[in-house]
């Protein structure tokens, strides 16, 4: 070998003939089963290849590759391994001269086939598979960065390489799931095909450029589909973790797009398959969010919400096409529910990784998808009789709750913009108790910026709230502006929510938490006064009981008021106020424990059947509170006014009031809020006839306006140009004349300093002379 190597280096033009001769000898020896000579020939080729890097090495490489291919075609495992090792050595050599005609198609196919070896002997099978993986790794290294070589990223190559690597990852994972015996432990310490395949896959993906990611990811998705690997989802998640951590961060959004497209393509697959894809998407998206997700954020949420709506339709109809037939696959509702929960979890986990500005966009986007409540909402039911719109609202509100959890935004105007808050609170007016609870929890998530929420999960009347260790900051200017704009809207919905018959303990706990968090996060002096008025109005609701609420609801409202006033009295630190609240609570403990949270908000509430004769000592008195707080600088005049909710157009969506009730409330509000009560003329009685006349008159006016507009449009469409021009010119001249009159009236020339000039007709006329032409007397000259 030393002499041969010296000769080849001295006469490099002979290298191709040396390669051709050795190749011929090797092919002959393989055919005659002289494996010793085969090994000698390959060793000679390897050493020559490593030593020689002349310009004419390309022809020698052709002979070398021909010999390697001959060995790989052999059925002998040892020859296959020998050929692979030689190819790997060749792959690690950096050639000085490019090759334009070399092809690696055979090697990709053969190495991929070796990766799927099913030899009877486990040890030989492992060696062949590892040789196949090493061969693929060599092909990738040799071709991936050389533009003159065959494009390894073509689908025809990727469809062989990627599944071969995944097969070894999957197969060995299944083998390792069985408990190995202690004797096999030392063998396990060696590098396994799975570890080698993972390294090769990471190297392949790490070298992928922007335009090649798609071709590398598509075979992964197809492999997971073909082998039903979405349902256990463990292997699928592992694969995509390898992918996400291997590719360049700026390419992450391409993988997310591939997964989203695959989810859409499987929209009619089993719920377990779709749930697996969503779980993988969740893991991948969380990793991608640390890099660059780019414009795929809203695309991802749009796809997930679309799949959520489809799943609701599937669960209601029982089939993928909306009609059950003999050939239709029956859908299991519990699997669809599982898929829906997976989607909601993914929405929340991905949103938690986004920056604040993107999270705000996502929140508005989800809210825009929530069906608006309306009086004429179509009842679109399936076999379970559930309303499709209701299910959609619940699922989207669940998603919104996931996104809002942990949301930190210093400016509440940005966190709860008007268009979002209006839609959210209009949803709170619905009769559905579950939807109302979601709305309350979403509001709590947004308002709680210091992690105080869990401290109010239980309603109680603590004698010392310092044990709660509340984190309280001074109300910022932005928060003050927010409350000035939206406070009455919030109070109104809290008040209406308290009056619902379908409320349960969770609703009252949420209402208490919302009141407490507003007091801590957004309260100034005016807000504190309004919240006290609101809670006293809620106490009046329980006392007067115009809504005919059940006993539990009335006791719950009394208890809610006691808990909140106990909290706010200690937050304001006004001794007289605290004393009054403490006295009423102590009186209730002795005489009416059913009006306190400790007896109401328990598993078995202790209630009183007679709440009509409540004595004044058991109630928090507005006059007393106004007196004690007024002495401490609070607005006592405002405290004396009872709280009355503002009525808006949203009441038409609430399905709670008839037209007559709404009108009577409006008249009552006007009469109460009027500053001149004694001098006011009694409100006009509103009857059916007046309503009918108002409607008919408004319709007639609208008809006249519509007819006038039609005539104008028709005139400009059909009249000749001269007529239109004359009409417009007349209007323009009329306008000009009016302007001239106005100018003459408003702008008068100043009196002339040089005196009055007589006009031609003998009439005096004021005339202005410019300052630079005026002649001043000598006394004015300095």
């Amino acid at each position: 070998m030393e002499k041969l190597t010296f000769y080849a280096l001295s006469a490099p033009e002979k290298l191709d003939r040396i390669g051709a001769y050795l190749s011929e000898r090797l092919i002959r020896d393989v055919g005659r089963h002289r494996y010793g000579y085969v090994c000698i020939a390959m060793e000679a080729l390897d050493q020559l290849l490593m030593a020689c890097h002349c310009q004419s090495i390309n022809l020698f490489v052709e002979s070398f590759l021909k010999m390697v291919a001959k060995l790989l075609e052999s059925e002998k495992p040892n020859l296959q391994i020998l050929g692979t090792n030689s190819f790997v050595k060749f792959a690690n050599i950096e050639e000085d001269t490019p090759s334009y005609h070399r092809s690696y198609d055979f090697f990709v196919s053969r190495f991929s086939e070796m990766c799927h070896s099913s030899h009877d002997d486990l040890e030989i099978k492992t060696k062949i598979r590892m040789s196949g993986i090493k061969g693929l790794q060599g092909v990738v290294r040799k071709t991936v960065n050389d533009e003159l070589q065959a494009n390894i990223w073509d689908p025809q190559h990727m469809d062989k390489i990627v599944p071969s690597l995944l097969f070894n990852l999957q197969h060995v994972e299944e083998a390792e799931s069985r408990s190995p015996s202690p004797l096999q432990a030392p063998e396990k310490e060696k590098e396994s095909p799975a570890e080698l395949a993972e390294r090769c896959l990471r190297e392949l993906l790490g070298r992928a450029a922007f335009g090649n990611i798609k071709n590398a990811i598509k075979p992964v998705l197809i492999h997971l589909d073909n082998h039903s690997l979405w349902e256990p989802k463990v292997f699928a998640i592992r694969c995509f973790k390898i992918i996400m951590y291997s590719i360049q961060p700026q390419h992450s959004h391409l993988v997310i797009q591939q997964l989203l497209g695959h989810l859409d393509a499987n929209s009619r697959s089993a719920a377990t398959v779709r749930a697996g894809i969503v779980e993988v998407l969740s893991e991948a998206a969380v990793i991608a969010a640390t890099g660059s997700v780019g414009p795929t954020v809203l695309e991802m949420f749009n796809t997930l919400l679309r799949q959520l709506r489809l799943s609701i339709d599937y669960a209601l109809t029982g089939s993928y096409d909306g009609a059950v037939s003999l050939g239709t696959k029956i859908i299991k509702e519990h699997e669809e529910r599982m898929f829906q929960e997976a989607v909601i979890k993914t929405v929340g986990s991905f949103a938690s990784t986004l920056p604040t500005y993107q999270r705000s966009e996502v929140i508005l986007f989800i809210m825009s998808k929530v069906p608006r409540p309306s009086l004429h909402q179509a009842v679109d039911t399936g076999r379970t009789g559930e309303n499709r719109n209701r299910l959609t609202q619940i699922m989207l509100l669940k998603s919104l709750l996931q996104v809002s959890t942990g949301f930190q935004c210093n400016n509440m105007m940005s966190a709860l913009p008007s268009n979002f808050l209006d839609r959210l609170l209009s949803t709170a007016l619905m009769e559905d108790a579950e939807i109302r609870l979601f709305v309350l929890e979403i509001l709590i998530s947004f308002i709680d910026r210091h992690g105080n929420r869990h401290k109010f999960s239980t309603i109680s009347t603590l004698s010392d709230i310092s044990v709660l260790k509340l984190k309280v900051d001074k109300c910022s200017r932005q928060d003050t502006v927010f409350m000035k704009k939206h406070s009455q809207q919030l109070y109104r919905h809290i008040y209406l929510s308290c009056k619902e018959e379908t409320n349960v303990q969770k609703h009252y706990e949420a209402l208490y938490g919302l009141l407490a968090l507003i007091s801590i996060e957004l309260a100034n002096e005016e807000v504190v006064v309004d919240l006290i008025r609101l809670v006293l109005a809620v106490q009046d609701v329980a006392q007067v009981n115009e809504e005919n609420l059940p006993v539990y609801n009335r006791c719950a409202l009394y208890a809610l008021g006691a808990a909140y006033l106990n909290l706010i009295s200690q937050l304001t630190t006004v001794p007289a106020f605290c004393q009054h609240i403490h006295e009423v609570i102590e009186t209730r403990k002795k005489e009416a424990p059913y009006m306190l949270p400790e007896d109401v908000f328990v598993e078995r509430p202790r209630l009183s059947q007679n709440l009509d004769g409540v004595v004044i000592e058991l109630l928090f008195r507005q006059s007393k509170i106004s007196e004690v707080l007024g002495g401490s600088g609070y607005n006592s005049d405002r405290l004396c006014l009872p709280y009355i909710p503002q009525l808006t157009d949203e009441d038409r969506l609430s399905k709670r009031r008839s037209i007559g009730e709404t009108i009577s409330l409006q008249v009552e509000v006007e009469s109460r809020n009027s500053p001149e009560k004694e001098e006011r003329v009694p409100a006009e009685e509103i009857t059916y006839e007046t309503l009918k006349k108002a409607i008919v008159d408004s319709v007639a006016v609208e008809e006249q306006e519509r007819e006038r507009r039609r005539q104008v449009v028709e005139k400009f469409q059909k009249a000749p140009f001269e007529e239109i021009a004359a009409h417009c010119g007349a209007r323009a001249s009329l306008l000009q004349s009016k302007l001239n009159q106005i100018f003459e009236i408003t702008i008068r020339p100043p009196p002339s300093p040089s005196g009055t000039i007589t006009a031609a007709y003998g009439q005096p006329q004021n005339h202005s002379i410019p300052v630079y032409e005026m002649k001043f007397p000598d006394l004015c000259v300095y």
Side-chain angles (χ1 to χ4, degrees), residues 741-762:
Q741 291 178 13
I742 293 170
F743 291 151
E744 288 177 2
I745 294 171
T746 57
I747 303 175
R748 297 181 181 277
S752 172
S754 60
T756 303
I757 301 173
T758 304
Y761 297 98

Side-chain angles (χ1 to χ4, degrees), residues 49 62 78 229 345 383 420 498 521 552 571 728 765:
L49 195 62
E62 292 300 324
N78 289 336
L229 295 172
K345 178 186 172 185
R383 65 186 181 196
F420 172 78
C498 289
E521 298 282 352
Y552 173 79
L571 287 175
C728 293
Q765 181 181 359

